[in-house]
Amino acid sequence: MQDWLVNYGLYSLFILSFLASTLLPLGSEWMVVTMLLAGEKAWAVVAVATAGNYLGALSTYWIGLYGGDFLKRRVLRMDDASTQKAERFYHRFGSISLLFSFLPVIGDPLCLVGGVLKISFVRFTLLVASGKLARYAAVAWLTLKGAAL
């Protein structure tokens, strides 16, 4: 598998970043660091990782958006009153939490909840893509700074 990841470079990074942003327990930062240390262009690595990770989050958002009624009623066991309360709270305060969708453990569920509560696509895109770009840019910057020491 390591040979496959190395030989296909940016394609591998895209796939791993996509999968890492679904509900699968994976991480893609190690590959970003590996590629940067191998001399890959930082802007390309950050752009590909961000795109893959955003599209993975978008797939989780769509699961929430189109499977939301099933998830709310059957899995979360929410009635109409608790759904409305959650929606009001999330629309007022919670959607900004999508900026933190890059965090381990809580990031993927945040995207799912964004879909379940029908956060607008534009708002979702701006918040999630910004958070993921900031994370990968920070990883790249720290990697390159550390490598220069």
Side-chain angles (χ1 to χ4, degrees), residues 98-116:
L98 289 170
L99 273 173
F100 301 101
S101 65
F102 67 88
L103 292 172
V105 180
I106 66 166
D108 300 334
L110 284 173
C111 295
L112 186 67
V113 170
V116 168

Side-chain angles (χ1 to χ4, degrees), residues 80-142:
D80 288 336
S82 59
T83 299
Q84 289 174 355
K85 184 177 178 181
E87 286 174 349
R88 281 193 308 272
F89 178 83
Y90 199 78
H91 283 291
R92 182 181 289 167
F93 304 109
S95 65
I96 199 74
S97 68
L98 289 170
L99 273 173
F100 301 101
S101 65
F102 67 88
L103 292 172
V105 180
I106 66 166
D108 300 334
L110 284 173
C111 295
L112 186 67
V113 170
V116 168
L117 297 179
K118 297 178 176 38
I119 299 302
S120 80
F121 175 75
V122 171
R123 185 175 186 89
F124 176 86
T125 295
L126 290 173
L127 293 169
V128 171
S130 297
K132 291 180 180 296
L133 174 62
R135 186 239 338 246
Y136 284 117
V139 168
W141 184 80
L142 290 169

Side-chain angles (χ1 to χ4, degrees), residues 42-59:
W43 67 267
V45 170
V46 170
V48 168
T50 300
N53 214 243
Y54 163 72
L55 291 173
L58 187 59
S59 68

